[in-house]
């Protein structure tokens, strides 16, 4: 089962500058060889369910190891069985409709 | 690693009545013997990371098997290494502070 | 337009104990006379759109005034035009289906 | 108060193809002259609180008018008082840290 997932990890108790933790998670995801796109509010990830969630767990472990005692994470994910759809497909589909409005 | 997780599964393409799908997920979570509390916008779950996410994956499989071709799911989860904290602890902690305001 | 909304406000940069901030938000919501239910991962709120979102904004103002320089907030909300539905209705609907499984 | 917000609107009961509804919301946001970036799981928006939330409300109204009787929406938003930060700043900040890993 493939999944398209938006991941936003918020380390708590480490001050207001969170980019070092987000960068460490980007590194985890890249090392897991997942297709990923960073955006202003999270990271979009595409891949096989188990592989994706193993990487999400590893992100939590790494951020805790970096010193964050508490983490609040938000995930939005989609699965579908009617057809294969990539992250690029989703964006192109909206842009095509938008062009017709 | 223990996790407290809020799960909201939205089946897409099966009409506006979603309660049969939510009920099926509640059954999956109960069978996994996870501590869980249904609320108006999702289900709070408490347990060990791998066990919780195995159940989340099973929910997706079951909802697809029930006929939903597409699912959009929202998860909010917290982990902490400074202390053990249950779902009840979290609510009691806020209520204690609220009593003092 | 009525809305059922799940609100989770995460103050950043104020340490790992967030309950004083959550309690302050509960007070804001109560003073706005909104129907609300605290749960382990947020607060469910029911009310008219503008009234609910004015209270959400006031929560951000109050948490900033308490000293949090950064806030990350997660909201899940639902609106429907086919029928009136309360938070209690949503829970009862799932429980009724669950009883039949 | 400025806000950076991630908006994901899920129309329910209108089948599995949601791009026409997402495109209609993009149009609403563009007409509100908000800075916005479409991504695979939502739309990032940057602007003044009241202006942003007025546009979010208008999106709900438009999607209901298009025939969706039920909508489930997920919002992630951030505010900060320590400094001004744009969506581009957030991404650049992570990329700078990533370059140093």
């Amino acid at each position: 089962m493939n999944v398209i997932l938006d991941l936003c990890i918020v380390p708590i108790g480490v001050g207001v500058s969170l980019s070092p933790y987000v960068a460490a998670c980007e590194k985890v995801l890249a090392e897991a060889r997942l297709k990923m796109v960073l955006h202003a509010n999270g990271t979009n990830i595409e891949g096989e369910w188990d592989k994706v969630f193993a990487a999400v767990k590893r992100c939590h472990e790494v951020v805790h190891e970096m010193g964050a005692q508490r983490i609040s994470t938000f995930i939005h994910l989609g699965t579908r069985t009617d057809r294969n759809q990539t992250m690029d497909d989703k964006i192109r589909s909206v842009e095509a409709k938008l062009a017709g409005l």
Side-chain angles (χ1 to χ4, degrees), chain A:
Chain A
M1 185 163 50
N2 258 22
V3 61
I4 293 180
L5 183 146
D6 193 357
L7 177 67
C8 174
I9 289 186
V10 183
I12 298 173
V14 292
V16 294
S17 184
L18 306 182
S19 55
Y21 304 89
V22 178
C25 292
E26 294 296 291
K27 194 155 169 273
V28 165
L29 298 169
E31 285 171 358
R33 297 183 176 280
L34 291 165
K35 191 170 168 193
M36 50 190 273
V37 180
L38 175 69
H39 63 85
N41 286 298
T43 302
N44 288 321
I45 309 166
E46 181 183 322
E48 195 274 325
W49 181 291
D50 290 338
K51 207 173 153 189
V52 169
F53 277 100
V56 171
K57 186 185 180 186
R58 185 72 196 125
C59 288
H60 266 250
E61 290 169 344
V62 164
V63 172
H64 280 311
E65 286 163 12
M66 289 173 77
Q69 293 184 305
R70 187 174 183 179
I71 304 171
S72 196
T73 289
F74 294 83
I75 292 171
H76 169 202
L77 69 105
T79 58
R80 57 194 308 172
T81 55
D82 55 339
R83 61 185 181 96
N84 290 324
Q85 188 187 39
T86 66
M87 298 193 288
D88 288 342
D89 291 339
K90 289 184 78 177
I91 292 174
R92 269 195 299 267
S93 178
V94 173
E95 287 176 341
K97 293 295 185 307
L98 197 50
L101 287 183

